[in-house]
Amino acid sequence: MKIIIFGLGNFGTALALSLTETGNEVIAIDKQMDKINLVKDKISHAICMDSTNELAYDAVPLKDADKVVVAIGENEGAAIITTAIIKKLSTVKIISRALSPIHDTVLEAMGIHSIIHPEQDSADRLTKQINFKSTLENYQLDNNFTISEVRAKKEFYGKTLRELDSIDTYSLTLITIIREKEKKNLIGKKTIVKETIGRTNPDTVILDNDILVVYGNNKDIENYCMGEEEYDLRNKNI
C-alpha cells in the first residue's frame, strides 16, 4: 500500500520505518529538513514542506494514497489544520493523532473516526492494523490468530444471522457487532459514534455499515477482506 505520513517525530519516524519494513510504499512529510535527512534513504520518498500551507500540496500524491497518517505531535494547531486540508483536498482515509481531549472532539467534529493516541498505541500495533488492509482494528492474540473488526458487506444487509447459515464460510467466529449511532459532541455538533450491540442471536439483522467483530486465523481474516471494495461477502459464521 501507499501510505503518506505527516510529521516525523519519534512516533511518525518509527511508523514510517516499520511500515516500510513490512513492504509498504511510504512517503513522509515534515517541515524540518534534519528530520527528512534521517529517513530519506530508508523509505520510498521524503518531502520537506509546511503541511499547514495548502498551496504546497501540489507535490503530495494524495489521490494515489491508500491511507494518510497525521502523526504531528508537537503542534496541535498544525495537526488540526493539516487534517482539515487533507480532508478538503481528497477522500483518502485519514488516521489522525490526537494530542488532547479537545483535539479528539475537534477531529470527531471533522468526521475523523480513526483517531490514535501514540502514548497508548505503539507504531508496531498501528503497522499491524494498516497491514491488515480492510480490517478496521485488530487485537493480535498470537502469531496466527487475531480478533478483528471488519465491515459487513452488502450481501449481508437486511439478513438475519440465521439466514446467513447457508452462505459459504470464511471460518471466522462472530463475537459481536459494532453499529453506528448519531450523537451530539461537546460542542453540540451531531457526530456518528460506534457502539457494540452486545451478544448476537440467530434473529440479529445485519444493517448497512455494520462492523463485525470476528475471531479467526490471520489467513482467514485476510481472505474475508480480499475484494472488500466490492463488498462481496460469503461467510457462513458471520
Side-chain angles (χ1 to χ4, degrees):
M1 285 188 292
K2 180 177 288 185
I3 315 294
I4 302 177
I5 299 175
F6 288 83
L8 286 173
N10 293 334
F11 174 72
T13 298
L15 181 62
L17 296 176
S18 183
L19 285 169
T20 299
E21 290 170 0
T22 54
N24 296 283
E25 180 182 350
V26 175
I27 299 174
I29 297 172
D30 198 283
K31 67 178 182 179
Q32 296 185 35
M33 195 64 206
D34 58 334
K35 293 182 178 180
I36 294 296
N37 289 333
L38 288 174
V39 302
K40 66 180 183 180
D41 296 326
K42 300 176 182 178
I43 64 174
S44 300
H45 194 51
I47 301 173
C48 185
M49 63 170 265
D50 181 358
S51 62
T52 64
N53 179 6
E54 185 175 337
L55 298 178
Y57 280 76
D58 288 341
V60 182
L62 288 177
K63 294 182 179 179
D64 297 326
D66 294 295
K67 294 180 182 178
V68 169
V69 181
V70 180
I72 298 170
E74 298 176 354
N75 187 323
E76 190 171 285
I80 292 172
I81 293 171
T82 298
T83 302
I85 293 174
I86 296 168
K87 190 168 179 62
K88 175 184 176 181
L89 297 178
S90 74
T91 58
V92 66
K93 179 176 179 180
I94 302 171
I95 302 171
S96 192
R97 177 181 186 176
L99 305 176
S100 69
I102 293 297
H103 194 171
D104 270 308
T105 300
V106 172
L107 291 174
E108 290 171 2
M110 292 167 61
I112 306 298
H113 300 301
S114 295
I115 302 173
I116 56 174
H117 307 85
E119 297 77 11
Q120 304 164 23
D121 303 315
S122 69
D124 181 62
R125 179 172 179 269
L126 184 56
T127 295
K128 291 175 181 176
Q129 177 183 338
I130 290 175
N131 282 336
F132 258 100
K133 296 181 173 65
S134 295
T135 63
L136 305 174
E137 187 65 74
N138 300 289
Y139 178 75
Q140 191 159 3
L141 301 176
D142 56 30
N143 290 333
N144 298 311
F145 290 89
T146 299
I147 295 174
S148 291
E149 296 177 7
V150 296
R151 296 184 188 279
K153 300 180 183 181
K154 282 187 176 179
E155 191 172 327
F156 274 145
Y157 291 176
K159 295 184 179 180
T160 66
L161 298 181
R162 181 183 289 107
E163 290 175 309
L164 296 176
D165 280 345
S166 62
I167 298 180
D168 292 341
T169 180
Y170 272 101
S171 300
L172 300 178
T173 300
L174 178 65
I175 298 174
T176 189
I177 297 173
I178 298 174
R179 189 159 287 167
E180 293 183 347
K181 185 177 181 181
E182 188 178 90
K183 284 189 174 181
K184 290 185 178 180
N185 60 24
L186 296 177
I187 60 176
K189 184 178 179 63
K190 289 184 179 179
T191 186
I192 300 296
V193 298
K194 297 174 181 177
E195 297 180 346
T196 178
I197 68 170
R199 294 184 62 181
T200 61
N201 61 65
D203 294 320
T204 299
V205 178
I206 303 294
L207 303 181
D208 293 17
N209 300 317
D210 273 356
I211 294 170
L212 312 179
V213 182
V214 299
Y215 162 79
N217 185 281
N218 293 342
K219 291 183 178 179
D220 291 326
I221 293 173
E222 289 175 352
N223 287 337
Y224 171 89
C225 293
M226 287 179 63
E228 189 197 37
E229 55 270 38
E230 291 88 13
Y231 289 93
D232 178 26
L233 184 56
R234 301 182 306 276
N235 195 317
K236 175 182 177 181
N237 293 332
I238 300 179

